[in-house]
Amino acid sequence: MPLAKVRNQYHHGDLESALVATARKLTKRNGVEHLSLRKVAQEIGVSPSATYHYFPDRDALLAAVGFSLFEELADYQERELAKIIGTTAKAAKDRFRSLGMTYFEWAIKEPHFFNLMFSEYCLMGPNSEHKREDSRAYLNLTKCLDELVSTGSLDERMRQHSELLSWTVVHGATSLIVSGHLEQDRYESILEDLEFSLGIRK
Amino acid sequence: MPLAKVRNQYHHGDLESALVATARKLTKRNGVEHLSLRKVAQEIGVSPSATYHYFPDRDALLAAVGFSLFEELADYQERELAKIIGTTAKAAKDRFRSLGMTYFEWAIKEPHFFNLMFSEYCLMGPNSEHKREDSRAYLNLTKCLDELVSTGSLDERMRQHSELLSWTVVHGATSLIVSGHLEQDRYESILEDLEFSLGIRK
DNA sequence: CCTTTTATCTGAACAATGTATAGATAATAG
DNA sequence: CTATTATCTATACATTGTTCAGATAAAAGG
């Protein structure tokens, strides 16, 4: 029996993944508020009610898509980060800059994804397993900052202040640009402002 | 004829304002994705189709609510700002802090409002009349920063970097907290980090 | 004051949506 | 080969946004 057990006519094989994947595709195209459960089912070729064996409701499906996007973003960031090699001060600064740029570029490329991730569908409760500390994106940031300190590019005294500051600046600028409240071409200069205020001079 | 021409049975009198006010109320309660045009009309006591004489569709009504919220936020900020009087360095610092705190407190008090304001319903196009430069909230920020400079609390060289930096930090931290990605009690320390990195020592 | 015109709102209808329930079908286990 | 269980379908329902023809009241013109 081959691995590709695609559409046994009645039983789908892996409907759960198909649901997430298709919901991802339609959300990417039309945005989160226009995602229709029925359209997702229709695209897969399955009845609308089949959905409810894997997700209690539409919100749950959207949440599944949203949480998977955080992993995708981290993947992308790490791929870009890996392109910058070396342990010099310049390499550390480049990686810090790259971390901020990839966050932004990813959001600009797929604004509907970004909106979903920080929408009410992906609300993080106090007991959520997707906390900040164990998120890969945040771990990458702390690692970058440590490198800046060890290469002498970031003052030790400033280190503790720069973690949340960097994160909120990057996220805030991205969010404002995606929602149209800030011009897109301002982003890079904001990153420079951040580095300047943290004392990371070039 | 009295001003209070409430419900002449057939003609409402001021349906447009009533629609915005009621949509505001229901959005505050249930969030933007659960706002129903029919519920709004029902609450006012008018037929669902009456809406379409004032707003082309549901999105337009939500946009009207959203844009009015920016004014409400500015009102609140200015009221709080007016409570701090004086031209001393301490007063200037207090006003800067207040500006950041009010933004946050307002969002925490009504997260559904905050979500609407930066949702896809209030997207600012390139020709939007609600641009950053002429927004009252942004003008208040620039005024505050000028005061910090003139009282010697903010280095002139840092002044140009601090405008967008302050804005994105405040918005970013607020956004992350509202969406549950950051703990609420971290906010004030982030403001302190911002002031520290801008060189505004106490 | 009466008539005409215009602005405002109603009623009914439509397609699409999320969701619940009962039953059909296929895979699995005994 | 049969019984059980997981998976999916068919049908139905209430609710939604939206359209359009027509009713009603207000304003304008005589």
Side-chain angles (χ1 to χ4, degrees), chain B residues 45-199:
Chain B
V46 90
S47 117
S49 17
T51 310
Y52 291 84
H53 281 262
Y54 300 97
F55 299 98
D57 51 21
R58 192 191 94 119
D59 292 16
L61 175 57
L62 275 170
V65 173
F67 287 133
S68 81
L69 291 175
F70 282 98
E71 300 303 317
E72 283 191 39
L73 170 57
D75 286 343
Y76 174 56
Q77 279 194 316
E78 287 170 11
R79 274 199 308 273
E80 292 299 312
L81 224 49
K83 290 181 181 172
I84 304 168
I85 49 180
T87 57
T88 64
K90 174 170 168 23
K93 290 181 202 168
D94 285 350
R95 272 191 287 270
F96 182 71
R97 178 68 69 96
S98 169
L99 219 46
M101 288 304 295
T102 51
Y103 193 94
F104 170 67
E105 285 162 359
W106 199 79
I108 289 301
K109 199 185 291 179
E110 299 302 342
H112 289 142
F113 283 168
F114 186 79
N115 283 330
L116 169 56
M117 291 165 75
F118 297 98
S119 75
E120 310 202 330
Y121 296 102
C122 291
L123 277 191
M124 307 276 183
N127 297 336
S128 173
E129 69 268 38
H130 298 83
K131 292 308 292 182
R132 171 173 48 87
E133 280 78 9
D134 44 64
S135 100
R136 284 162 57 204
Y138 198 79
L139 284 179
N140 287 329
L141 173 59
T142 63
K143 223 165 56 179
C144 251
L145 290 172
D146 287 338
E147 282 179 2
L148 285 173
V149 171
S150 66
T151 57
S153 305
L154 178 61
D155 192 301
E156 200 125 15
R157 221 176 54 247
M158 199 56 110
R159 168 66 177 83
Q160 55 180 323
H161 299 276
S162 50
E163 212 163 276
L164 289 179
L165 218 50
S166 307
W167 192 28
T168 54
V169 165
V170 166
H171 174 75
T174 301
S175 163
L176 286 170
I177 291 175
V178 166
S179 56
H181 293 258
L182 186 57
E183 298 88 349
Q184 190 165 340
D185 53 25
R186 293 295 192 95
Y187 186 79
E188 197 146 11
S189 85
I190 292 176
L191 276 193
E192 288 168 8
D193 289 344
L194 170 64
E195 292 164 9
F196 183 82
S197 73
L198 294 179

Side-chain angles (χ1 to χ4, degrees), chain A residues 108-178:
Chain A
I108 289 300
K109 198 187 290 179
E110 300 302 342
H112 289 141
F113 283 167
F114 185 79
N115 283 330
L116 169 57
M117 291 165 75
F118 297 98
S119 74
E120 311 202 331
Y121 296 101
C122 290
L123 277 190
M124 307 274 183
N127 297 338
S128 173
E129 68 267 39
H130 298 82
K131 292 308 292 183
R132 171 172 48 87
E133 281 78 9
D134 44 64
S135 103
R136 284 162 57 204
Y138 198 79
L139 284 180
N140 288 330
L141 172 60
T142 62
K143 223 165 53 179
C144 252
L145 290 172
D146 287 339
E147 282 179 1
L148 285 173
V149 170
S150 67
T151 57
S153 304
L154 178 60
D155 193 300
E156 201 127 15
R157 223 177 52 248
M158 198 56 109
R159 168 66 179 82
Q160 54 181 324
H161 298 277
S162 51
E163 213 164 276
L164 289 180
L165 218 51
S166 306
W167 192 29
T168 55
V169 165
V170 165
H171 175 76
T174 301
S175 163
L176 286 170
I177 291 175
V178 166

Side-chain angles (χ1 to χ4, degrees), chain A residues 10 12 15 46-47 49 53-54:
Chain A
Y10 208 96
H12 178 274
L15 185 53
V46 90
S47 115
S49 17
H53 281 262
Y54 301 96

